[in-house]
Amino acid sequence: MGSTPRRLSSEDDRNKGSTVNEWHKSSYSQGETSCVEVKEGSHSVLIRDTQNRELGHLSFNSPEWTNFLQEVKDGRL
């Protein structure tokens, strides 16, 4: 599936000049109280726990994120 995701703080993300959209609730968190938020950009996807936003986020490059989603959809994860 690629390299291990790394946890970055919001400041790290800003320093890298990331061009990402606004955070939004993942469609996989339908009606749940424990939600995941996603922020998608042209080269990266960031994910974070809505209940622990202050802990930062995980960062995936676009191919890693696509592979992860395919693994989930195929029931391998």
Side-chain angles (χ1 to χ4, degrees):
M1 184 168 109
S3 63
T4 303
R6 58 195 189 284
R7 183 176 295 277
L8 299 174
S9 70
S10 297
E11 183 176 335
D12 289 335
D13 187 41
R14 284 191 300 273
N15 291 339
K16 289 180 181 253
S18 177
T19 55
V20 290
N21 297 321
E22 294 300 316
W23 288 101
H24 63 276
K25 182 178 169 183
S26 169
S27 61
Y28 293 97
S29 297
Q30 300 168 354
E32 300 290 326
T33 56
S34 300
C35 301
V36 174
E37 291 179 318
V38 179
K39 194 174 188 183
E40 299 159 313
S42 57
H43 301 289
S44 64
V45 177
L46 312 177
I47 61 170
R48 69 181 180 189
D49 179 355
T50 57
Q51 295 181 349
N52 296 290
R53 290 180 180 122
E54 70 283 356
L55 295 177
H57 58 271
L58 298 176
S59 176
F60 296 88
N61 66 38
S62 295
E64 288 173 328
W65 183 248
T66 299
N67 289 337
F68 170 74
L69 291 179
Q70 192 61 53
E71 295 276 327
V72 171
K73 289 177 185 177
D74 291 346
R76 293 189 293 253
L77 290 177

